[in-house]
Amino acid sequence: MRKTCALTGHRKLSPHFSVNALHDKLEEMIQGGCDRFLCGMAQGFDLCALACLVSLRQKYKITLVACVPYRGQERGFSQEGRREYVRLLEQCDEVHILQEKYEAGCLLARNRYMADRADVLLAYCERESGGTAYTVRYAQKHGVPVEFLE
C-alpha cells in the first residue's frame, strides 16, 4: 500500500536550516513507509527536499510528483534557480500543472491539493503566518498528520 507524503516549507530558509537533517528526516519517512512524495516546486524548502529525494532514489524506490501551481512558475526564479527547477522537474515521475496562469490564491490552492492527497505532511514551519503555516493548519483540520522538521 502506498503512503503519500506532501512537503511544505518556507521559500527563505533560516541560517540554521540543515540540508543533512532534511535528508535524514526524508530517509526516516521512506523507511517508515512513505514511497510517494508531493512537491509544490517552490524555491527554498520544496526544491531542497526534492533534491534530497532525487538523491535518495539511488537507494529507495520512491515516486516523485511535482504539483506545479501554474504554468511558468519558474519564470520569477533567478537563471540558476530556473536551471535547478528544470533539472528537478525532469526527475519527477508525474507533473501536475494545476492552473494555466497565475491567479491570486493559486499557491494556497496548490497546498490544499497536496494536503488533500497526502497521508502525512512534512513541514518546515518557523512562523505562524504565511503559506506554510496555512498548509499545516489545513492539514491538521482535515485529519492529515503533520511531522515537523526541527
Side-chain angles (χ1 to χ4, degrees), residues 50-139:
L50 186 54
C52 289
L53 289 164
V54 166
S55 169
L56 285 162
R57 261 191 153 163
Q58 296 171 21
K59 197 170 168 184
Y60 301 99
K61 184 170 173 28
I62 55 177
T63 301
L64 305 179
V65 181
C67 300
V68 180
Y70 61 94
R71 191 175 300 283
Q73 171 188 19
E74 74 284 4
R75 282 188 213 118
F77 295 10
S78 68
Q79 187 174 4
E80 181 183 328
R82 281 193 300 276
R83 276 195 300 270
E84 179 71 350
Y85 176 93
V86 169
R87 181 185 78 78
L88 291 170
L89 189 67
E90 288 172 349
Q91 297 295 314
C92 291
D93 301 291
E94 299 172 31
V95 177
H96 300 276
I97 298 174
L98 304 179
Q99 291 186 194
E100 282 303 309
K101 62 183 184 6
Y102 176 84
E103 293 177 16
C106 71
L107 301 178
L108 296 178
R110 180 260 332 263
N111 295 349
R112 290 189 301 271
Y113 174 90
M114 294 191 322
D116 289 342
R117 286 154 181 78
D119 299 303
V120 63
L121 180 75
L122 174 60
Y124 172 64
C125 188
E126 294 194 313
R127 297 185 291 279
E128 293 189 25
S129 63
T132 300
Y134 169 88
T135 306
V136 167
R137 287 191 302 272
Y138 180 88

